[in-house]
Amino acid sequence: MDELEFRRRVYTNPADNEKDLLEAAAQNPDNDAFWQDIKQLDEKLKTAAQVPVPDDLANRLILKQTLREFNQQKRRNRWYIGLAASVAFTFGIALTAWQQQHVQLDQAALAHMYYAETEQPHGSAEITPHLVNAKLAQFGAELDPSIGHIASVNYCVLDAIRSLHLIIETPEGRMSVFLVPDHDKPMTSDFADSVYQGSSYALHKTNILVVGDKGTNIPAFKTELKQYLKFSA
């Protein structure tokens, strides 16, 4: 089985345990590492989708409907006021829910940094330039290995978007590089919190975020990254 067919099968069904797929993974450490990444991402997405429904939701909806009908009967001559209040209330609830579920990509990257240092390579495969570029190929990108030692390259989820996270050793310490497919997400050019700081840019329908410790020379590394990280036309 060639690599393209292997990846197509894994993308279609990460839980596929057919003999030919298992053999292809056993014969190629890169295939095995890729499969483990997709399985982990699939589990994360399943967990994120399991939103529990309150036990008393039905009773609360019935009560709300009953109160609404009662108020409409009492205030028939002021129905327009009730309608405006209902619309405002619904819009406020919807806006609050959206704000709770969606954040800017830069804020999602900063939040990810607080456990990023514990990330380890998935599977038994050594982190080689070939493995790194095999994962970058999904973004149409390629990284020159002379940029420095790659300590980790893992898939992650930033604001519900499947992304790629690289940790690169530099003279100033570890730098994180996130590649996020362009989904029209809000993103700030320069950002920081009390511990980390970062900068971002967009290229070839990909959002690229560079994050390091507070006080590190992010602009210099960002300039260097643009020289080593190339995208196909």
Side-chain angles (χ1 to χ4, degrees):
M1 181 186 301
D2 61 28
E3 186 175 352
L4 182 61
E5 174 63 15
F6 180 85
R7 289 172 179 269
R8 185 190 68 77
R9 290 272 299 276
V10 170
Y11 272 129
T12 302
N13 180 15
D16 190 345
N17 284 318
E18 292 292 334
K19 182 179 179 181
D20 58 340
L21 199 66
L22 293 171
E23 291 178 349
Q27 295 169 1
N28 188 329
D30 290 350
N31 282 349
D32 180 65
F34 173 76
W35 196 2
Q36 297 306 318
D37 287 337
I38 296 302
K39 283 183 177 179
Q40 283 206 355
L41 177 62
D42 189 58
E43 289 301 319
K44 288 180 180 179
L45 293 176
K46 287 180 181 178
T47 301
Q50 293 174 354
V51 180
V53 178
D55 294 335
D56 62 341
L57 179 60
N59 292 334
R60 287 162 60 185
L61 291 174
I62 293 173
L63 176 60
K64 183 177 180 180
Q65 181 64 25
T66 302
L67 291 174
R68 183 180 296 169
E69 292 175 356
F70 175 76
N71 288 332
Q72 286 177 347
Q73 290 178 347
K74 280 189 66 177
R75 305 175 184 179
R76 192 176 300 274
N77 61 330
R78 294 189 297 168
W79 64 270
Y80 53 90
I81 298 177
L83 177 61
S86 178
V87 170
F89 175 78
T90 302
F91 177 78
I93 293 296
L95 181 61
T96 300
W98 185 88
Q99 289 174 335
Q100 290 176 343
Q101 296 175 7
H102 297 275
V103 296
Q104 289 188 326
L105 285 178
D106 50 281
Q107 296 303 310
L110 287 173
H112 186 82
M113 289 297 297
Y114 285 91
Y115 60 88
E117 289 297 327
T118 65
E119 289 186 2
Q120 297 295 328
H122 300 322
S124 57
E126 178 186 358
I127 301 178
T128 63
H130 176 73
L131 175 61
V132 172
N133 284 322
K135 295 185 177 184
L136 284 171
Q138 300 172 48
F139 298 84
E142 182 177 359
L143 183 65
D144 187 330
S146 58
I147 191 173
H149 174 66
I150 308 298
S152 174
V153 53
N154 291 319
Y155 293 103
C156 65
V157 178
L158 293 187
D159 195 19
I161 302 176
R162 181 174 180 270
S163 311
L164 187 64
H165 179 200
L166 295 89
I167 299 179
I168 304 175
E169 301 282 1
T170 77
E172 291 199 45
R174 289 187 166 190
M175 294 286 187
S176 282
V177 177
F178 296 92
L179 281 81
V180 188
D182 185 2
H183 282 68
D184 296 324
K185 292 289 185 179
M187 187 172 64
T188 304
S189 177
D190 296 299
F191 51 92
D193 62 11
S194 60
V195 179
Y196 299 104
Q197 67 183 54
S199 185
S200 65
Y201 65 99
L203 194 64
H204 288 269
K205 298 183 179 180
T206 301
N207 293 318
I208 303 164
L209 299 91
V210 179
V211 185
D213 292 335
K214 201 73 173 289
T216 54
N217 194 342
I218 296 294
F221 179 74
K222 180 179 173 182
T223 300
E224 184 179 3
L225 179 66
K226 290 180 178 180
Q227 296 174 355
Y228 288 99
L229 182 63
K230 302 297 182 182
F231 287 80
S232 57

